[in-house]
């Protein structure tokens, strides 16, 4: 009996062992693929969480760019079930207002990258409630906090601050940049994008085919640094208002009854720029280009139609990109050249000697140059003048005479370009190096450049020049001496040059970012003034130039005296130079229509003149003469800088002077 029991037990154990063996074989062989599939679907997913973008503040801590709390609808690529994907895409399209094709692209990208992508950002309260109550109908979709960029001052300072947007194809070539990232596209936002972006965080999920099983860990994102600029918001506001007032006056003067910005093709003034620069270190205190834009428009995206509705050039920062003839403001450079190189009009021995500022100059050229040159006072003579009176009265004839002396005595020698060489020493013809993108270089013309143009870009020259022995003529040098012809500069270059001439010869690299502070209040960047060049300008020259700039504003016959007449206290501390750049001569068409001449008004000023701290440059395109509108605009800015808000008066039309 006991043997039977033992046999039965043996059979039972054998059967059990056989079952276990078969089960083990089944698990290892027949079910291996199924278990492998289940294991693959039960994975750890790491989802990156964006870092809050760093703030941008002015010199006094006023917020220029920040973030506001917001919620976004995002999709987790790893959690989108294939079986319901088509239905999910249709629901998301209806919810977000996107097309099904656009949503499908987002879903495909999220699945491909195994990442979280935004379907709709900055949800309204109604959208948030709707989605939160129906999340079971949107598998793989969740609502997450997502800060939205905020520009509290609208278009004020926009060309400096810039804006953000999604990366383009060139951005995507950079290491670490993905399609869902937000990048700076212009201004400081672009220039210092690395500092502002911070370090993304990450959430580690345990997921299966349908849901998140667990959160395994989280790395908190580190916000970007806070940037403190040299910009002063109140000064920026004053500059902006002054430019707008000037454009309003320019339009009123343009034609009887005024004109509208839409009449730009008829010559209506639509653009004005200004910059306030610290003379002792190159810090930009204010910078404005009108018309501008509100960077908040880019937050939700901008359609092509909306983009095209903006005025031409609204997104250009013409302080660093606009290239203008400096007109008579350039006479300061010709002045320095004459003083330092010992150049005087041909009929004199010294710049202190007087010559008649005649209504016209008959130039003794033997080349194809223009022979008769008219002063801005034509048909009226302007009396006997030396270099000081000529600067105060902006006598073209005197400065043409200086250029004639250079031409007649140095033509085809190394000293032929002494005027251009001084201009280049003062920063013209090259970028200033300001920490803003897309800066232009300007042009300082000379014989070498014209010869190169004739060979490589003949369309830039009059066809008649191409048949001459040299395309560079004596008349071209006369044009340079008074800031006309092919000479073009940016307003920032002009401001930096005036700062150097006023401070004794130190050319500073302009800058906007003062310092950057991280989340621990540690300074991670601090600007140190950069000297671009130290010029050997004698004290005699720069002190003399300061006095004569002061006479332009305060002296009898000064071309800016009328513009500063109602300045109030401290007007004697202002110096500067007016300029009028001719854009188009007056024309009479075949049908008898008279097209008036078009000029651009320019003013460059310095204060306090005895110890220069600020340089202000204003350019009003199609704004008449420098004394009419550019100088009155700068006057209002100087009133604020020296006398405060209570000391300002509205921009008013000044005297029509060069």
């Amino acid at each position: 009996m006991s043997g039977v029991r033992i046999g039965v037990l043996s059979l039972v154990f054998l059967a059990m062992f056989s079952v276990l063996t078969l089960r083990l074989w089944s698990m290892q062989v027949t079910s291996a693929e199924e278990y492998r599939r289940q294991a693959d679907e039960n994975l750890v997913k790491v989802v990156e969480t964006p870092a809050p973008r760093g703030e941008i503040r002015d010199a006094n801590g006023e917020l220029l760019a920040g973030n506001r709390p917001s919620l976004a609808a995002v999709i987790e690529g790893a959690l989108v079930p294939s079986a319901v994907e088509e239905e999910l895409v249709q629901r998301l399209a209806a919810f977000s207002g996107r097309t099904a094709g656009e949503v499908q692209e987002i879903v495909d990208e999220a699945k491909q990258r195994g990442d979280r992508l935004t379907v709709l950002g900055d949800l309204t309260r109604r959208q948030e409630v709707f989605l939160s109550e129906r999340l079971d109908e949107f598998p793989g979709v969740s609502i997450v906090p997502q800060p939205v960029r905020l520009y509290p001052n609208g278009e004020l300072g926009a060309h400096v601050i810039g804006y953000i947007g999604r990366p383009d194809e060139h951005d995507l070539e950079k290491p670490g940049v993905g399609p869902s990232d937000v990048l700076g596209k212009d201004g400081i936002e672009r220039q210092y994008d690395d500092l502002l972006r911070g370090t993304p965080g990450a959430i580690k999920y345990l997921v299966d085919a349908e849901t998140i099983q667990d959160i395994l860990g989280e790395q908190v994102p580190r916000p970007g640094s806070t940037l403190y600029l040299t910009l002063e918001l109140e000064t920026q506001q004053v500059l902006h208002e002054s430019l707008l007032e000037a454009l309003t006056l320019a339009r009123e003067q343009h034609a009887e009854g005024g004109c509208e910005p839409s009449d730009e093709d008829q010559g209506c003034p639509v653009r004005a720029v200004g910059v306030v620069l610290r003379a002792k270190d190159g810090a930009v205190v204010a910078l404005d280009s009108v018309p501008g834009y509100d960077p908040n428009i880019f937050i939700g995206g901008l359609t092509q139609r909306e983009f095209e509705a903006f005025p031409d050039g609204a997104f250009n920062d013409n302080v660093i990109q606009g290239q203008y003839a400096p007109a008579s403001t350039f006479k300061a450079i010709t002045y320095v050249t004459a003083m330092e190189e010992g150049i005087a009009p041909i009929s004199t021995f010294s710049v202190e000697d007087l010559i008649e500022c005649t209504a016209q100059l008959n130039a003794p050229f033997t080349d194809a140059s223009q022979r008769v040159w008219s002063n801005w006072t034509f048909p009226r003579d302007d009396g006997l003048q030396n270099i000081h009176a000529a600067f105060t009265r902006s006598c073209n004839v005197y400065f043409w005479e200086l250029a004639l002396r250079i031409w007649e005595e140095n033509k085809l020698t190394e000293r032929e370009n002494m005027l251009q060489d001084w201009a280049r020493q003062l920063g013209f013809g090259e970028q200033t190096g300001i920490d803003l993108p897309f800066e232009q270089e300007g042009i300082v013309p000379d014989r070498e450049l014209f010869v190169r143009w004739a060979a490589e870009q003949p369309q830039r020259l009059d066809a008649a020049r191409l048949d001459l022995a040299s395309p560079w003529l004596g008349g071209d040098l006369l044009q340079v001496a008074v800031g006309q012809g092919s000479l073009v500069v940016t307003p920032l270059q002009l401001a930096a040059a005036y700062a150097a001439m006023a401070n004794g010869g130190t050319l500073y690299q302009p800058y906007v970012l003062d310092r950057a502070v991280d989340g621990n209040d540690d300074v991670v960047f601090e600007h140190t003034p950069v000297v671009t060049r130290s010029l050997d300008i004698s004290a005699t020259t720069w002190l003399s130039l300061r006095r004569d700039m002061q006479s332009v504003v305060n002296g009898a016959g000064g071309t800016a005296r009328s513009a500063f007449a109602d300045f109030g206290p401290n007007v004697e501390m202002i110096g500067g130079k007016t300029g009028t750049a001719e854009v188009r001569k007056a024309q009479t068409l075949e049908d008898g229509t008279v097209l008036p001449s078009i000029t651009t008004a320019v003013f460059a000023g310095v204060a306090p003149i005895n110890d220069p701290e600020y340089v202000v440059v204003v350019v009003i395109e199609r704004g008449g003469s420098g004394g009419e509108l550019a100088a009155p605009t700068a006057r209002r800015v100087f009133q604020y800088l020296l006398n405060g808000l209570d000391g300002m008066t509205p921009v008013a039309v000044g005297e029509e002077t060069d």
Side-chain angles (χ1 to χ4, degrees), residues 131-356:
L131 187 58
S132 62
E133 291 178 346
R134 297 169 175 80
L135 280 177
D136 58 328
E137 300 175 11
F138 294 84
V141 176
S142 57
I143 300 173
V144 300
Q146 191 176 83
V148 171
R149 203 61 166 160
L150 173 68
Y151 301 96
N153 304 294
E155 69 178 71
L156 193 62
H159 288 103
V160 177
I161 301 164
Y163 61 92
I164 59 173
R166 295 295 180 187
D168 57 27
E169 58 184 11
H170 300 295
D171 295 322
L172 291 174
E173 296 174 0
K174 301 174 184 175
V177 176
S180 62
D181 290 341
V182 173
L183 303 178
K185 308 298 285 186
D186 200 2
I188 287 294
E189 292 275 28
R190 179 188 180 98
Q191 190 75 18
Y192 294 105
D193 186 67
D194 289 345
L195 286 172
L196 289 163
R197 289 179 69 190
T199 304
I203 301 177
K204 188 181 293 185
Y205 294 108
L206 179 66
V207 301
D208 61 15
E210 299 293 335
T211 62
I212 295 174
Q213 296 294 310
D214 196 5
I215 297 178
L216 302 180
E218 180 176 2
Q219 179 181 339
V220 179
R222 189 173 66 198
S225 297
T226 297
L227 306 188
Y228 290 88
L229 308 187
T230 59
L231 223 62
E232 295 176 4
L233 187 60
E234 194 166 78
T235 309
Q236 181 73 28
Q237 179 74 45
V238 169
L239 176 62
H240 183 66
E241 291 172 350
S242 301
L243 293 176
L244 292 178
E245 287 185 24
L247 278 175
T248 298
L249 290 173
R251 290 167 189 155
E252 290 174 356
Q253 291 193 116
H254 175 73
E256 186 176 350
C259 66
E260 296 296 328
S262 57
D263 299 327
E264 182 181 0
D265 58 343
Q266 304 298 317
C268 190
V270 297
R271 281 180 287 276
V273 300
V275 59
V276 180
L277 192 71
R278 278 210 306 256
K280 295 180 180 179
D281 63 2
V284 175
V285 179
L287 182 157
D288 199 36
S289 182
V290 178
Y293 65 93
D294 183 346
N296 288 296
I297 62 175
F298 290 96
I299 302 303
L302 195 64
T303 67
Q304 187 64 27
R305 178 178 296 180
E306 289 171 333
F307 179 82
E308 292 173 353
F310 277 85
D312 184 38
F315 298 101
N316 294 338
D317 180 358
N318 285 320
V319 174
I320 63 173
Q321 294 173 280
Q323 301 189 80
Y324 302 95
S328 290
T329 60
F330 191 81
K331 288 173 182 173
I333 290 81
T334 309
Y335 181 112
V336 169
T337 303
M339 296 282 285
E340 291 296 302
E341 300 290 345
I343 302 297
I346 289 178
S347 59
T348 68
F349 296 100
S350 166
V351 292
E352 303 296 334
D353 295 338
L354 299 171
I355 67 169
E356 180 69 31

Side-chain angles (χ1 to χ4, degrees), residues 321-559:
Q321 294 173 280
Q323 301 189 80
Y324 302 95
S328 290
T329 60
F330 191 81
K331 288 173 182 173
I333 290 81
T334 309
Y335 181 112
V336 169
T337 303
M339 296 282 285
E340 291 296 302
E341 300 290 345
I343 302 297
I346 289 178
S347 59
T348 68
F349 296 100
S350 166
V351 292
E352 303 296 334
D353 295 338
L354 299 171
I355 67 169
E356 180 69 31
C357 183
T358 55
Q360 288 185 318
L361 170 72
N362 292 300
F365 289 123
T366 58
D367 57 20
S369 295
Q370 174 182 330
R371 300 292 181 85
V372 179
W373 299 71
S374 297
N375 190 45
W376 71 271
T377 61
F378 181 83
R380 176 175 52 83
D381 292 341
D382 206 32
L384 293 170
Q385 298 178 13
N386 58 15
I387 195 170
H388 310 294
F391 190 84
T392 301
R393 290 291 301 147
S394 199
C395 175
N396 289 331
V397 171
Y398 188 94
F399 290 90
W400 287 330
E401 288 271 13
L402 292 174
L404 274 174
R405 186 68 170 263
I406 296 172
W407 180 259
E408 293 296 327
E409 296 182 357
N410 301 281
K411 181 171 49 178
L412 298 174
T413 72
E414 292 182 356
R415 285 173 59 79
E416 178 185 275
N417 291 335
M418 69 173 70
L419 178 54
Q420 293 95 323
D421 289 343
W422 273 100
R424 294 187 183 101
Q425 283 290 301
L426 285 161
F428 297 108
E430 65 183 21
Q431 294 180 353
T432 67
I434 189 173
D435 49 344
L436 289 174
F438 313 124
E439 183 183 14
Q440 296 298 308
E441 296 181 345
I443 298 172
V444 177
D446 58 13
R447 186 184 299 275
E448 180 183 353
L449 178 64
F450 270 47
V451 169
R452 186 164 71 249
W453 280 355
E456 301 173 2
Q457 303 178 57
Q459 70 278 7
R460 301 193 69 152
L461 300 174
D462 293 336
R465 289 179 182 260
L466 304 179
D467 297 326
L468 301 176
S470 171
W472 178 254
L473 306 174
D476 297 318
L477 185 61
L478 266 65
Q479 292 275 40
V480 171
V482 295
Q484 301 273 9
S486 298
L487 175 71
V488 291
V489 308
T490 67
L492 184 63
Q493 286 176 330
L494 190 60
Y498 264 72
M501 289 185 290
N503 70 27
T506 303
L507 182 67
Y508 287 102
Q509 177 178 300
Y511 69 101
V512 177
L513 177 61
D514 180 61
R515 67 190 186 280
V517 179
D518 67 13
N520 297 319
D521 288 332
D522 292 327
V523 177
V524 296
F525 172 87
E526 190 165 18
H527 180 84
T528 300
V530 176
V531 176
T532 303
R533 206 169 286 119
S534 294
L535 285 75
D536 187 17
I537 302 176
S538 68
T540 299
T541 296
W542 56 263
L543 287 172
S544 175
L545 179 60
R546 280 190 197 174
R547 287 193 297 269
D548 291 339
M549 285 196 290
Q550 187 179 33
S551 293
V552 171
V553 173
N554 294 274
T559 53

